[in-house]
Amino acid sequence: MALPDYSLKFYFSGSMGRADDHEYAVAKEMECRLCSCHGDYMAAAERWVEISNDKSTGITKYLADSGAFTSWSKGHKVDINQLIKTYHRIVDKLDTSKVQPYLINLDVIPGSKGKTAGTEEIEAAIKESDVNFNILNKEFGDIVIPVYHQNESEARLAEVDAMADYICVSPRNDLPEWTRVKWSEEVHSKLPPGKRTHGLATTGANMMNRVPWYSVDSAAWLYSGAMGKVDCWHGGKWVSINISKESPDRYNDRKHYDNADKLVRQVIEERAAFHNIEVSKLRDDHMARKLLNGLEIIEFLKEFKFEPKLMQDGLFDL
Amino acid sequence: MIDMLNFVNRATDQKGIVPLLSHICVHDGKLQASNSRMTIEGKCPQLAAHSFTVPAEKFIKAVERCKDVPKIERAANGTVKISSGRFRVTLPSLDAVNYPHQTFKPSEAVEIEAAAGFSLALRKIAPFISLDASRPWSLGACLTKDYFYATNNVTIVRTPVKWAGPVINLPGYIIQEILNIDEPILSIWASKTSVSFEYEEGWLRAQLYTDAWPDISKMFEKEKEFEDVPDGLLSAIEQLIPFCPDVKFPSIHFKDGAISTANGLQSAETGFDWKVQGIYRAEVLQLVLGVATRWSPHTYPKPVFFEGDGVEGLMVGAKR
């Protein structure tokens, strides 16, 4: 199934939580999929290889993440040799005549959780990340994507830029969104025009509107559904509201589908009907909510058109 | 007493996870509070007979609500009672000895000859201090021998002032407190990591940022061809700002004979008799033109120099 070439590649990430038809229903409309290869998620990553290969689905790009951050946050480290085997389990099974694989480099994250890394730790981590990049690049070729992080120098950006045609850019998750957006804009003002960049967890409205990403990824569609919400794209705006029958917000005025304004209820009902999903299912089943949220992102992407914006020059290096 | 309580309360941390940091310590006729980044102590002879540590906000509210001079007692069970007439408040308290008291002088600190115009210099550069934590060093002002510097990465300013202390990065939130206190500083003690300011009724001690500024010495050394900032420029720009189409990036466009917003669903333009080209963020222009009397607008797209009101600086514009 050939989908239109949207101006922004949006990688759907995260695991829906249950292997059933809902995955295929969203995959039919989905162009790009990101899966973590961390041990806990590997079964889902391999299942999504099969889904991606299925000719009835729209997936043409599969981005595999090493799971380095997940491991690091649990106090573990990913072994490069183990990761090569894991990545082979993905790449070797993908039908590359349909699906283009990409592999995120095995980043070495400096410091430990809850402790800010010092300059020496950052430098050592960068060196080790580059060693990993070279090993993976030798094994898999130019489908390996290096990562540039917010706490790294401008000179490092030039190095990462030189390493590959397609690079990941990772704003810090512990900073306010406006700072992350500003930094991401600055990064792009220092990269050659047209450089393909992937923004890790960069799907805030401003982030996508202001920064000329080639691709982004997000699992927000799943979190929202899991927390009992639906996000509907309507008239150029997102309408988000709790709908789960379990949500405590059903007792808060205008915070839930049950007590929402008539117009909001109408939007939810129209969007659900558009995707052939029953409203009662949205109330009962997180998978139905996740499906609706995923399909609505695709509706948003159909309309999304990146317009180049003014860029603010800065006096200092990144 | 209430003024001194409010003075010291600036240093409490009401949202933190360490309960003691939201307390005020009453001891030896003084009040002390600390949020671990900043400590403030003040004289309070009215409480000289007391020694305890209480939740700051509740204690202040209790004292404020007393219609007469409050009567304060500490019971044997450790509670503090604040009363006035038939009004009585009971608050939990701790022994003052359990409070992590700070001393006025940081270890290894030297006394700095209190610079004439120290607070005034900080007031001039404070609006230019960054709020962007992605460059942590820029969240404070750089105090050097001859100048105090501040930057938000789009503009950088400096103001001349003699500073006999070490080169330090004074956090912006401390500068804000110094400006809010707005009292004459009697003495300053500084080490590489801490600084203390003595006031007539108390003192403030603060942790300094350890992030060093990059080398900025050469930024101001370029040849400048200044011209006067035209009368009415700032008000012309402020006329246009509400109509900028991109609220996240309000921009002002200088062109021959006019000034305008960007084009969009809404836009605005006003005639202006000049020959200047350039695009700038609106709030940056407002900040700069709030002080500048002379500038070099023809250097755009390279940095534009400006000076006025005792500061000199440069700003960079936007680009397509």
Side-chain angles (χ1 to χ4, degrees), chain B residues 104-127:
Chain B
F104 167 61
K105 288 178 197 168
S107 58
E108 296 178 19
V110 291
E111 184 171 7
I112 314 299
E113 192 180 330
F118 179 84
S119 298
L120 183 63
L122 292 182
R123 195 174 293 282
K124 285 181 189 296
I125 63 168

Side-chain angles (χ1 to χ4, degrees), chain B residues 152-180:
Chain B
N152 53 23
N153 190 39
V154 181
T155 62
I156 180 168
V157 293
R158 70 180 183 184
T159 188
V161 59
K162 290 294 171 199
W163 169 250
V167 174
I168 58 172
N169 188 346
L170 185 62
Y173 62 86
I174 298 297
I175 293 172
Q176 209 47 62
E177 288 304 339
I178 291 169
L179 299 180
N180 289 343

Side-chain angles (χ1 to χ4, degrees), chain A residues 43-59:
Chain A
E46 289 186 292
R47 191 170 66 253
W48 274 91
V49 167
E50 286 172 27
I51 296 170
S52 303
N53 287 342
D54 190 314
K55 296 277 190 286
S56 71
T57 70
I59 298 172

Side-chain angles (χ1 to χ4, degrees), chain A residues 102-108 125-138 140-149 152-168 191-192 195-196:
Chain A
Y102 292 106
L103 307 171
I104 297 179
N105 183 34
L106 173 56
D107 269 345
V108 177
I126 285 174
K127 273 187 192 160
E128 207 178 330
S129 297
D130 286 357
V131 169
N132 289 341
F133 177 80
N134 290 332
I135 293 170
L136 290 173
N137 193 258
K138 198 173 165 193
F140 296 102
D142 60 5
I143 62 171
V144 182
I145 311 180
V147 187
Y148 176 65
H149 302 92
E152 293 169 357
S153 69
E154 193 165 320
R156 174 63 185 165
L157 176 64
E159 284 174 11
V160 174
D161 174 31
M163 285 161 80
D165 293 337
Y166 187 15
I167 64 171
C168 275
L191 285 169
K195 181 79 184 183
R196 286 193 303 161

Side-chain angles (χ1 to χ4, degrees), chain A residues 43-157:
Chain A
E46 289 186 292
R47 191 170 66 253
W48 274 91
V49 167
E50 286 172 27
I51 296 170
S52 303
N53 287 342
D54 190 314
K55 296 277 190 286
S56 71
T57 70
I59 298 172
T60 58
K61 292 174 182 60
Y62 185 111
L63 178 59
D65 181 22
S66 66
F69 182 78
T70 311
S71 292
W72 175 82
S73 59
K74 292 180 176 178
H76 305 138
K77 199 174 171 185
V78 177
D79 174 66
I80 184 72
N81 294 315
Q82 188 57 46
L83 182 66
I84 289 172
K85 286 180 194 162
T86 304
Y87 274 171
H88 268 299
R89 279 162 63 187
I90 301 294
V91 175
D92 296 352
K93 287 181 197 158
L94 269 175
D95 173 1
T96 51
S97 68
K98 175 177 183 279
V99 187
Q100 169 66 53
Y102 292 106
L103 307 171
I104 297 179
N105 183 34
L106 173 56
D107 269 345
V108 177
I109 300 160
S112 51
K113 200 174 181 188
K115 178 179 165 284
T116 304
T119 315
E120 283 177 13
E121 281 176 303
I122 292 173
E123 280 173 14
I126 285 174
K127 273 187 192 160
E128 207 178 330
S129 297
D130 286 357
V131 169
N132 289 341
F133 177 80
N134 290 332
I135 293 170
L136 290 173
N137 193 258
K138 198 173 165 193
E139 184 74 21
F140 296 102
D142 60 5
I143 62 171
V144 182
I145 311 180
V147 187
Y148 176 65
H149 302 92
Q150 185 156 8
N151 56 350
E152 293 169 357
S153 69
E154 193 165 320
R156 174 63 185 165
L157 176 64

Side-chain angles (χ1 to χ4, degrees), chain A residues 11-23:
Chain A
Y11 281 86
F12 288 77
S13 64
S15 170
M16 284 183 84
R18 200 166 72 211
D20 66 15
D21 291 347
H22 289 89
E23 288 184 327

